[in-house]
Amino acid sequence: MIYDFFISAINEGRKLLAILLDPDKLQESMLDDLIPKINESSVDVIFIGGSTVPKNATDLLVQHLRKRTSKPLVLFPGHFDQITPLADGVLFLSLLSGRNPEYLVNQQVNAVPYIENTDLEVIPTGYILVDGGKETAVQRVSGTTPIAAENIEKISRTATAGMYMGNKLIYLEAGSGALNPVAAEVIRSVKKKISIPLIVGGGIRSTIALQEAYDNGADIVVIGTAFEENSDLLTKFKKDEHIY
Ligand code: 1GP
C-alpha cells in the first residue's frame, strides 16, 4: 500500500522523491529517454497528472509506464476524468486554499464512479496553493487565488484545518514551473503544526532547492518541470542512494 510505504519510509527517517509526469506534455519519444533514467534513479514514486490533460491521455501514459517500470504509479488529477483504474493510487485532492466549491467538493463527487469498484488506493490530500511568483496552470484552471507566500499564518492554519478534516497528506504547491518554490519558513511553520506527511512541490529545479525543502520539513518533494527539461538531472539521484 502506497500510504503505508510513505509512513514507514518517513518513520525510518527517509525523505521521498516523486517525479511528476504530465500526460499533456510528454510524447512517447520522451518516455523512451525518461523511463530508464527514472528506473535507475532513487525516485520513489511517480505522480501522474496535469491541469489540462486530453481525455484518455492518462490511461495511455499509465499503461505505458506499467509495462516499463515497477515504481508506484499515483494519480495527481487536475480533473476527475484523469482517473484511471490502471494506476496504483490516487491523491484525492481538495483545493483548500481556494474557495471554489468545484475543487472543494464537486470534482470529488464526480470522481466516485471512476474510483469505486477499482483497486485504486485513495489517499485524501489537502492541497494548498501558495503564490509562486507567477500565475500557474492550477490557479488558472481552478479559478482560485493562491495564498500569499508571506501569509504564513494562513497557510499553516489551512494545513492544520486540512488535517483536522481527515486528510492523510498535506501538499504545499507553488504551481508547476513556479518562479519561487514554497519558502523554507512556510514549510517549517506548516511542518510544526501537522502530524501527517508533508508534500512540497512547484518550482524546485536543483538539488540545493530539494535539500532545502527536506531540511525544513518536507517529507516528499515533487519535481516535474526540471526533470522534463533536463532528464539528466535524474542521474544525480542514483538508485539506492538516498539523500537521507
Ligand atoms: C506541480 O508540484 C508540481 O504540481 C511540480 O512542479 O513542475 O515546477 O516541478 P514543477
Side-chain angles (χ1 to χ4, degrees):
M1 297 293 275
I2 294 151
Y3 189 73
D4 291 345
F5 160 66
F6 290 164
I7 295 291
S8 42
I10 292 164
N11 287 344
E12 283 165 17
R14 268 187 58 205
K15 299 286 183 178
L16 298 170
L17 179 61
I19 183 170
L20 173 64
L21 301 181
D22 183 340
D24 189 32
K25 294 189 192 154
L26 288 169
Q27 277 98 50
E28 207 160 320
S29 56
M30 291 161 83
L31 289 172
D32 289 340
D33 167 63
L34 206 54
I35 297 175
K37 288 177 184 163
I38 294 174
N39 288 338
E40 281 310 305
S41 76
S42 62
V43 161
D44 296 285
V45 53
I46 302 176
F47 285 177
I48 300 138
S51 296
T52 49
V53 176
K55 230 175 159 36
N56 300 326
T58 309
D59 285 81
L60 291 173
L61 177 59
V62 173
Q63 268 175 43
H64 194 93
L65 289 164
R66 180 61 81 205
K67 286 189 208 132
R68 300 183 60 188
T69 184
S70 56
K71 307 257 183 195
L73 305 176
V74 176
L75 302 171
F76 173 54
H79 190 276
F80 63 83
D81 71 9
Q82 293 175 31
I83 298 174
T84 164
L86 305 171
D88 297 305
V90 54
L91 297 186
F92 201 71
L93 302 165
S94 187
L95 183 54
L96 301 178
S97 51
R99 296 295 176 268
N100 183 352
E102 178 63 25
Y103 291 90
L104 283 165
V105 66
N106 199 43
Q107 284 281 325
Q108 294 77 351
V109 172
N110 286 323
V112 172
Y114 289 75
I115 296 176
E116 58 185 359
N117 306 320
T118 71
D119 292 328
L120 284 170
E121 179 181 343
V122 176
I123 309 173
T125 303
Y127 189 50
I128 300 173
L129 190 57
V130 177
D131 194 279
K134 69 169 204 190
E135 195 195 48
T136 56
V138 196
Q139 185 179 346
R140 218 169 28 248
V141 171
S142 69
T144 66
T145 311
I147 306 179
E150 308 74 59
N151 202 341
I152 298 176
E153 206 277 323
K154 186 168 182 192
I155 299 168
S156 302
R157 197 145 38 89
T158 305
T160 311
M163 177 177 72
Y164 291 164
M165 288 160 87
N167 286 291
K168 290 164 89 177
L169 297 172
I170 294 293
Y171 191 141
L172 287 179
E173 170 73 279
S176 190
L179 295 179
N180 314 314
V182 179
E185 203 185 340
V186 173
I187 302 174
R188 234 180 6 255
S189 306
V190 168
K191 184 66 184 174
K192 268 193 221 143
K193 296 274 187 176
I194 61 171
S195 54
I196 51 177
L198 179 60
I199 308 184
V200 175
I204 295 176
R205 295 175 169 275
S206 66
T207 48
I208 296 171
L210 173 77
Q211 189 68 53
E212 179 167 90
Y214 285 151
D215 286 345
N216 286 286
D219 298 299
I220 305 172
V221 168
V222 187
I223 299 182
T225 308
F227 288 147
E228 260 165 36
E229 288 174 358
N230 174 16
S231 61
D232 285 337
L233 187 61
L234 275 161
T235 58
K236 295 198 176 181
F237 307 100
K238 297 214 180 61
K239 211 174 184 165
D240 302 325
E241 268 180 29
H242 293 288
I243 295 187
Y244 278 72

